[in-house]
Amino acid sequence: MHFESKIKPFESIFEIHASKIRVSLKIRFGMMKKILSIIAALILGASVSTGQKLSQPYTFKNIRIEKGLTSNTIQNGLQDSRGFIWICTKDGICRYNGSYAEIFDNDNYGLMSGRANAICEDRDGLIWFSTSHSNGWYDPETDRTGELFCSDTPIFCIKADLDGNIWFASTSVIIRYNKGTKEISRYPASLTNTIQTGAVNQDGEVWFTSLNGNLLHFSKQEDRFEELSIFSEEEKKSGACLTNIVPLGDGRLLASSNDGRVMKIDPTTGTSVTIARIPDRVRIKCLYVKDAGEYWLGSRQGLFICNSTDGLTKIIDGTEANSISDKSITCIFPDTEGNTWIGTSHGGMDICPTAGNRIIQLFTHTESNAIFGNVVQTINRDLSGNLWVGTEDSGLIRQMA
């Protein structure tokens, strides 16, 4: 779109709505062709691709070390009940407040420094963490930390159940800490039963996955883990196992496997239904239920979006403009506003705004007298007739009347 020094009034007013974008432009006939092309770009940009590779509408913002992160290598993350975003990096834990990241470093929070692998908030608002230095807790009310125990092997998963227990998992052992009694119980894994990941469902049931292909369910009555076979013996011999589990609201578990399958598991019967299969046996590293029937899968090859309704699987691999900063995905989690946070191996933390806040890429220019930004967030005219264009990548631009 070419901007002239004067925009003469014309009797027609076009109003373009795209999420929060509202454009009201008085135009003249000479600009009609260009305006129609912009409208077409808006319509095309707002539609969802049904092919294997997603074009927009998914756009991403990015938080890196320039915003205060200790590293661009993200391990894990969550939003706490106070609204802060906690980010685990290979060089420590950061707390992001929407503008910048506060670093919990050696000077003030030595236990929270070092390589941070896992983080969790319990029902009382305590933050539980695991770093290369310690496994412990942080109390936001008192701004104090405490060490719970040391582990010979790194803790990669922390979950809080409904009974006040905090569960820590490494490859070789599952550890339960009872906040009421202060007791620590250990449940070692056998050589053929290496722990993978864990989850707690809405009923407080505790589940973990193992490298031998089975699900592990904690029995309160027996005070031990019971194994549930998911794969056939032939599949187990070929090395099939679950890489992630996420509770669904109906008592079932959404799970991913190391051979690229996405499944729904019914723990009461031990049966599973495959709802999607990622090509080339891609290993799914993290799993997130975005909406009913829409699942986001993180891998080293990119972000896969699975729609169980139509069976389509799409990929975002960072090759498009305003896409993810790095295709190697390490974690996915939501915030209370519906935005989706995506940790990457080398690109920091990406944020995909919820649909209502989504920014649409309009057009790209090469003319010298043109808008320099590629992502327009808002356009408005002031009382003096000047046109103001707010862009995501080139700041605020004013076109004089």
Side-chain angles (χ1 to χ4, degrees):
M1 180 175 179
H2 185 80
F3 274 70
E4 299 182 358
S5 59
K6 296 285 186 179
I7 301 179
K8 297 180 180 180
F10 181 65
E11 62 216 26
S12 297
I13 297 177
F14 285 73
E15 292 193 0
I16 307 172
H17 297 271
S19 299
K20 290 186 176 180
I21 300 177
R22 179 181 177 87
V23 184
S24 298
L25 296 177
K26 294 182 179 181
I27 63 173
R28 56 190 176 86
F29 279 114
M31 299 176 69
M32 180 71 74
K33 185 175 180 180
K34 293 183 178 180
I35 292 296
L36 290 176
S37 67
I38 294 173
I39 294 173
L42 281 169
I43 295 172
L44 291 174
S47 62
V48 178
S49 168
T50 58
Q52 284 295 311
K53 196 171 190 177
L54 278 178
S55 57
Q56 306 301 322
Y58 294 102
T59 58
F60 298 82
K61 299 180 181 181
N62 181 251
I63 301 173
R64 300 170 66 91
I65 56 176
E66 292 80 6
K67 286 286 187 177
L69 294 186
T70 53
S71 169
N72 288 331
T73 299
I74 309 301
Q75 302 289 103
N76 216 320
L78 63 82
Q79 183 182 39
D80 68 18
S81 55
R82 295 170 175 81
F84 291 106
I85 302 294
W86 292 84
I87 301 173
C88 296
T89 80
K90 76 176 183 67
D91 293 321
I93 297 176
C94 306
R95 182 173 65 183
Y96 185 69
N97 63 9
S99 299
Y100 63 90
E102 178 186 3
I103 299 173
F104 286 68
D105 55 17
N106 255 325
D107 295 335
N108 302 307
Y109 309 93
L111 296 177
M112 302 179 75
S113 61
R115 185 181 184 91
N117 297 314
I119 194 164
C120 174
E121 183 184 26
D122 69 18
R123 62 184 183 182
D124 298 320
L126 292 180
I127 304 297
W128 298 85
F129 61 86
S130 174
T131 71
S132 55
H133 292 170
S134 178
N135 302 291
W137 50 265
Y138 168 75
D139 187 347
E141 293 292 334
T142 62
D143 195 34
R144 292 177 55 246
T145 61
E147 184 175 43
L148 187 60
F149 64 89
C150 292
S151 176
D152 295 333
T153 55
I155 298 293
F156 59 84
C157 179
I158 307 176
K159 299 295 178 182
D161 68 21
L162 303 183
D163 297 323
N165 298 307
I166 310 300
W167 297 84
F168 300 80
S170 72
T171 56
S172 59
V173 65
I174 299 173
I175 300 170
R176 180 184 64 178
Y177 173 66
N178 187 305
K179 289 176 59 181
T181 64
K182 311 298 182 185
E183 288 183 308
I184 295 179
S185 304
R186 298 174 181 269
Y187 304 89
S190 66
L191 295 176
T192 59
N193 203 24
T194 304
I195 308 304
Q196 295 281 88
T197 188
V200 178
N201 69 10
Q202 69 276 7
D203 297 323
E205 294 182 298
V206 177
W207 298 88
F208 284 93
T209 65
S210 64
L211 193 61
N212 67 0
N214 290 340
L215 261 178
L216 304 179
H217 174 250
F218 182 70
S219 170
K220 297 178 183 179
Q221 292 77 16
E222 301 291 334
D223 190 30
R224 64 183 180 88
F225 280 93
E226 301 171 337
E227 292 191 62
L228 179 66
S229 181
I230 301 300
F231 297 99
S232 67
E233 291 303 318
E234 183 177 346
E235 289 174 319
K236 288 181 180 180
K237 288 179 181 179
S238 66
C241 68
L242 299 176
T243 56
N244 290 275
I245 49 173
V246 176
L248 297 173
D250 56 5
R252 291 183 295 174
L253 296 171
L254 184 71
S256 60
S257 67
N258 60 344
D259 59 0
R261 278 181 284 178
V262 182
M263 301 173 286
K264 287 183 178 180
I265 299 173
D266 186 345
T268 59
T269 61
T271 58
S272 64
V273 177
T274 299
I275 60 174
R277 189 181 291 272
I278 308 302
D280 302 323
R281 299 173 64 90
V282 169
R283 183 184 179 91
I284 300 167
K285 184 172 179 57
C286 48
L287 183 61
Y288 167 58
V289 181
K290 174 67 174 177
D291 294 304
E294 182 176 306
Y295 313 116
W296 289 31
L297 321 170
S299 75
R300 291 182 179 179
Q301 284 71 38
L303 175 66
F304 292 86
I305 297 179
C306 169
N307 188 318
S308 63
T309 303
D310 55 23
L312 293 177
T313 301
K314 312 173 183 71
I315 182 172
I316 301 174
D317 58 7
T319 56
E320 297 96 351
N322 309 301
S323 186
I324 53 177
S325 56
D326 177 32
K327 69 178 183 179
S328 181
I329 309 299
T330 57
C331 65
I332 309 173
F333 62 92
D335 64 24
T336 53
E337 295 183 356
N339 305 310
T340 305
W341 296 68
I342 301 165
T344 69
S345 292
H346 306 290
M349 181 70 77
D350 291 329
I351 310 166
C352 181
T354 186
N357 297 326
R358 201 164 285 163
I359 299 167
I360 298 175
Q361 184 176 352
L362 301 181
F363 44 83
T364 303
H365 296 286
T366 57
E367 298 94 335
S368 59
N369 187 24
I371 295 177
F372 293 102
N374 290 326
V375 184
V376 177
Q377 188 174 27
T378 184
I379 304 177
N380 215 329
R381 189 182 296 279
D382 63 23
L383 296 178
S384 300
N386 300 315
L387 190 67
W388 293 82
V389 182
T391 72
E392 178 65 20
D393 51 347
S394 294
L396 186 63
I397 300 169
R398 181 177 64 176
Q399 172 66 33
M400 301 296 291

